[in-house]
């Protein structure tokens, strides 16, 4: 069993811990994810998101750069276990050398400060995926979360699309080799990405709206469109995005519900659309998969639900590698 996870916020937790003067390291910590847990969970690759909340920084670009510095410093300290990815061949080489792979991603398009030149600079320093928005509107587009004053409308869908700059940005991302990530993006933004790009794109950490009708999840027509384009969507482990009854379900029931989402994705978009996007260290937790060392539980549950070995491998890593091979070269 190998696992490729398209989204975690572990670097953000390390960054915040450092700002508080606390000791926390990538190699081993008490978060959802560290290198020891990843090794136990048989991780092939982990995407590390530089999550920049706009309500907590005056300079998103500077914050992102500080986080990226921390990311590379941690990788340098742990190069016996994990190495960065700049191309698909790096993943192949890292695995051949007995190393896990780390991919640098951004979660908040405002970090480019409205400049495509900064987007290209982020590519030059290793960024290979960008989530266009988080929960705030920015110069690229709008999030799927609509706010009524201070009240979040979790069951409303946001029809607003990308800005003209947002359309330019996704086209430039496609040109230079940064994977477009539509998790958190508005419905209108999703369809703008679909219309204005040609290559596969991803929803790195989103579930099925048909099973849990919150705005963060993808509708069936989105899942189908994503599958038709050759993209993938990563199963988000947050219980609130898995079931509206999250407060009452047991550990085993939650695991079954996670399997339900994967099987629904498969039925709507094809097995090739299914992937993993834990959102570890960005979520409160998941009682069925408390941390990255428990990946075998999900593998076994999906096997019990009828997935073949080949289908399991597609969900756990092969679908992601297919997209990365095409986009990263």
């Amino acid at each position: 069993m190998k696992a490729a996870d398209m989204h975690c916020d572990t670097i953000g937790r390390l960054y915040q811990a450092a700002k508080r003067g606390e000791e926390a390291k990538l190699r081993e910590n008490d978060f959802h994810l560290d290198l020891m847990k990843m090794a136990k969970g048989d991780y092939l690759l982990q995407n590390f998101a530089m999550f920049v909340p706009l309500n907590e920084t005056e300079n998103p670009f500077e914050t992102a750069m500080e986080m990226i510095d921390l990311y590379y410093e941690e990788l340098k300290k742990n190069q016996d276990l994990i190495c960065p990815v700049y191309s698909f061949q790096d993943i192949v080489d890292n695995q051949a050398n007995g190393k896990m792979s780390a991919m640098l991603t951004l979660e908040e398009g405002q970090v480019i400060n409205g400049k495509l030149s900064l987007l290209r600079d982020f590519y030059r320093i290793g960024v290979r995926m960008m989530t266009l928005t988080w929960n705030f509107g920015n110069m690229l587009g709008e999030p799927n979360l609509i706010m009524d004053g201070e009240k979040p409308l979790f069951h409303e869908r946001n029809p607003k699309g990308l800005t003209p700059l947002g359309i330019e940005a996704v086209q430039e991302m496609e040109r230079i080799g940064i994977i477009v990530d539509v998790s958190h993006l508005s419905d209108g933004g999703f369809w703008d990405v679909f219309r204005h790009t040609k290559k596969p794109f991803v929803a790195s950490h989103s579930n099925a709206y048909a099973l849990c009708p919150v705005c963060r999840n993808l509708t069936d027509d989105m899942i189908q469109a994503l599958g038709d384009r050759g993209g993938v969507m990563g199963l988000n482990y947050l219980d609130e995005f898995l079931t509206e009854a999250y407060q009452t379900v047991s550990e085993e029931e939650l695991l079954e519900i996670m399997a339900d989402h994967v099987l629904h994705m498969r039925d709507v978009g094809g097995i090739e659309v299914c992937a993993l996007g834990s959102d570890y260290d960005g979520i409160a937790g998941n009682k069925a998969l408390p941390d990255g060392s428990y990946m075998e539980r999900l593998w076994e549950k999906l096997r019990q639900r009828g997935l073949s070995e080949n289908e399991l491998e597609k969900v756990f890593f092969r679908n992601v590698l297919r997209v990365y091979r095409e986009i990263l070269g």
Side-chain angles (χ1 to χ4, degrees), residues 2 81 325:
K2 292 291 180 185
L81 296 176
R325 182 188 294 111

Side-chain angles (χ1 to χ4, degrees), residues 41-161:
D42 203 12
Y43 277 63
L44 173 68
L45 178 145
Q46 177 66 57
N47 285 14
F48 289 96
M50 307 298 108
F51 166 51
V52 180
L54 297 185
N55 59 332
E56 296 179 12
T57 179
E58 295 182 359
N59 191 325
F61 171 76
E62 182 178 291
T63 300
M65 292 297 290
E66 290 174 353
M67 295 178 71
I68 290 171
D69 178 69
L70 174 61
Y71 165 83
Y72 279 120
E73 287 298 301
E74 287 294 324
L75 291 187
K76 184 169 66 175
K77 295 172 187 174
N78 295 286
Q79 54 191 309
D80 59 319
L81 296 176
I82 192 167
C83 292
V85 166
Y86 306 102
S87 68
F88 178 77
Q89 188 60 44
D90 290 333
I91 302 173
V92 176
D93 293 344
N94 290 343
Q95 184 178 15
N97 293 325
K99 308 287 182 67
M100 295 180 287
S101 287
M103 182 182 289
L104 176 60
T105 76
L106 299 171
E107 187 177 26
E108 176 49 68
Q110 190 63 28
V111 299
I112 71 169
N113 285 348
K115 299 177 181 178
L116 298 185
S117 60
L118 291 184
L119 178 65
R120 292 187 287 270
D121 284 340
F122 276 120
Y123 176 84
R124 293 177 183 116
I125 60 175
V127 169
R128 294 297 180 266
M129 182 184 292
M130 185 170 76
T131 312
L132 300 178
T133 67
W134 186 59
N135 287 342
F136 305 106
N138 61 31
M139 297 174 77
L140 305 182
E142 294 292 324
N144 43 35
L145 181 63
I146 298 173
M147 298 295 293
D148 180 10
E150 295 185 0
K151 179 184 177 182
L153 304 178
F154 292 114
H155 294 88
E156 300 290 331
R157 307 293 304 191
N158 191 344
K160 294 181 180 180

Side-chain angles (χ1 to χ4, degrees), residues 285-297:
N286 178 303
K287 67 182 74 174
L289 302 178
D291 61 51
S293 69
Y294 288 85
M295 294 306 301
E296 192 171 354
R297 286 186 179 180

Side-chain angles (χ1 to χ4, degrees), residues 161-223:
L162 296 179
T163 66
L165 177 63
I167 293 171
E168 285 187 71
V170 297
Q171 291 175 332
E172 184 67 357
M173 289 167 69
E174 186 170 78
R175 186 187 73 83
I176 64 178
I178 295 179
I179 299 164
V180 178
D181 181 5
V182 297
S183 284
H184 287 288
L185 188 62
S186 65
D187 286 16
F190 177 100
W191 293 112
D192 278 342
V193 169
F194 185 76
R195 283 189 293 268
H196 292 285
T197 60
K198 297 179 181 179
K199 295 179 182 179
F201 57 96
V202 307
S204 68
H205 55 305
S206 296
N207 295 334
Y209 181 80
L211 300 188
C212 185
V214 295
C215 59
R216 274 284 284 109
N217 291 339
L218 300 189
T219 59
D220 283 358
D221 55 347
M222 291 176 174
I223 296 173

Side-chain angles (χ1 to χ4, degrees), residues 49 74 116 232 241 262:
E74 287 294 324
L116 298 185
V232 292
F241 296 162
V262 173

